[in-house]
Amino acid sequence: MKGFTLFTKLFLTHTTIALVSVVSLSALFYVLFREALIQRTLDQLSSINILKKNHIDEYFANTRKTLEFQFGQIRKTTRGPILTKEVLEEVNLDYDFESIIVLDSRYQTLVSTSTDSLNTVFPCIQQKPVSEFQSMDVASCSASSSASIIYVLPVQIDGTSTGIVFIKENFEKIQSFLMETTGMGNTGESYLVGPDFKMRSKSRFNPKSSTIQVDSLAVNALVDSGEGGVIQDYRGVKVL
């Protein structure tokens, strides 16, 4: 009986020592590798966002080249009235824009592919002279904070007068880049934020809302330093 008791004591002692050692080593490894794992994950997420940003930048650059070439060719090859509704509708269809509107120098509509007058965004646009191609985020000029991107470029209306072409981008094309979640898991998302700290793109977790305020630590950290970490997002959820 005494031998059994001694064996039990030795077994319990060695088991306790083993458990304490395992727990201690696990805690030590967790402390040592936690920051490294977080940084590795942050680097991966940052790489994904950089790729998306580059993709979007490339899309805007290619769109500018395409539009400048397209409207330059229209001016060179068309006789008589240059920018007819049929011509604009063809361009609109080919490049999947929302609408194209041509104005004269006094901002009076000459030709349009839709009933969207864009009157609400003219005050923002008129702050800058239209002497070359421009792309603008005009969401702050409209009632909704959802993304509204306008391309503006000067164009020859006929042989003697010039005008301005307004092209409203189909933002779903940009949204498709952002909604790609490869490498981001089930809860990762990328989104665009305007200078008014309102989300321009759709939230993965609340896609129907168009007025999400994202004056979050994530956005401010990016504006200030570009560094990430473990913080709370616009939903109040702890994230990387």
Side-chain angles (χ1 to χ4, degrees):
M1 194 70 177
K2 290 182 179 179
F4 177 76
T5 303
L6 180 62
F7 173 79
T8 303
K9 289 181 179 179
L10 289 172
F11 174 78
L12 292 175
T13 300
H14 283 78
T15 301
T16 302
I17 292 173
L19 287 173
V20 170
S21 300
V22 170
V23 171
S24 299
L25 287 173
S26 298
L28 179 61
F29 284 134
Y30 174 78
V31 171
L32 291 175
F33 293 113
R34 178 178 181 272
E35 292 302 322
L37 288 172
I38 289 175
Q39 188 58 52
R40 182 176 178 179
T41 306
L42 284 172
D43 291 342
Q44 177 182 340
L45 295 174
S46 178
S47 297
I48 293 171
N49 270 343
I50 289 172
L51 287 174
K52 290 183 179 182
K53 178 185 180 299
N54 291 341
H55 197 171
I56 292 173
D57 287 342
E58 183 179 358
Y59 172 78
F60 283 134
N62 289 337
T63 299
R64 173 175 184 166
K65 292 178 182 178
T66 298
L67 291 175
E68 289 180 331
F69 173 79
Q70 185 74 48
F71 283 96
Q73 288 298 107
I74 291 173
R75 182 172 64 249
K76 292 177 182 178
T77 60
T78 306
R79 296 180 179 179
I82 294 177
L83 297 174
T84 64
K85 185 174 182 179
E86 290 73 20
V87 170
L88 295 184
E89 286 178 340
E90 184 176 347
V91 175
N92 205 44
L93 182 63
D94 287 344
Y95 300 104
D96 191 25
F97 297 127
E98 283 196 14
S99 61
I100 302 178
I101 300 174
V102 181
L103 309 177
D104 62 20
S105 58
R106 296 174 296 176
Y107 282 78
Q108 299 300 310
T109 301
L110 299 176
V111 190
S112 176
T113 63
S114 74
T115 57
D116 185 358
S117 66
L118 298 179
N119 287 333
T120 57
V121 304
F122 286 165
C124 290
I125 298 170
Q126 288 175 316
Q127 293 174 5
K128 301 178 181 180
V130 182
S131 58
E132 60 181 9
F133 181 95
Q134 299 175 37
S135 58
M136 303 179 182
D137 167 22
V138 294
S140 59
C141 300
S142 59
S144 171
S145 64
S146 57
S148 184
I149 297 175
I150 303 293
Y151 305 125
V152 186
L153 68 158
V155 69
Q156 192 76 28
I157 296 176
D158 53 37
T160 58
S161 59
T162 59
I164 307 168
V165 176
F166 289 84
I167 302 166
K168 189 173 184 182
E169 177 63 276
N170 177 4
F171 191 76
E172 288 302 318
K173 291 185 285 185
I174 311 300
Q175 185 70 47
S176 66
F177 302 150
L178 299 171
M179 293 301 288
E180 176 60 49
T181 57
T182 301
M184 303 187 75
N186 295 326
T187 58
E189 68 169 339
S190 302
Y191 50 87
L192 298 179
V193 181
D196 54 1
F197 289 94
K198 290 183 179 179
M199 190 178 294
R200 294 290 189 261
S201 53
K202 293 179 181 178
S203 165
R204 180 176 182 181
F205 306 102
N206 192 7
K208 294 183 179 180
S209 178
S210 60
T211 56
I212 297 177
Q213 190 74 23
V214 278
D215 190 4
S216 64
L217 289 173
V219 175
N220 283 285
L222 181 61
V223 171
D224 293 338
S225 64
E227 298 179 357
V230 181
I231 56 176
Q232 286 190 333
D233 69 358
Y234 61 93
R235 301 168 296 154
V237 176
K238 185 178 288 187
V239 297
L240 286 177

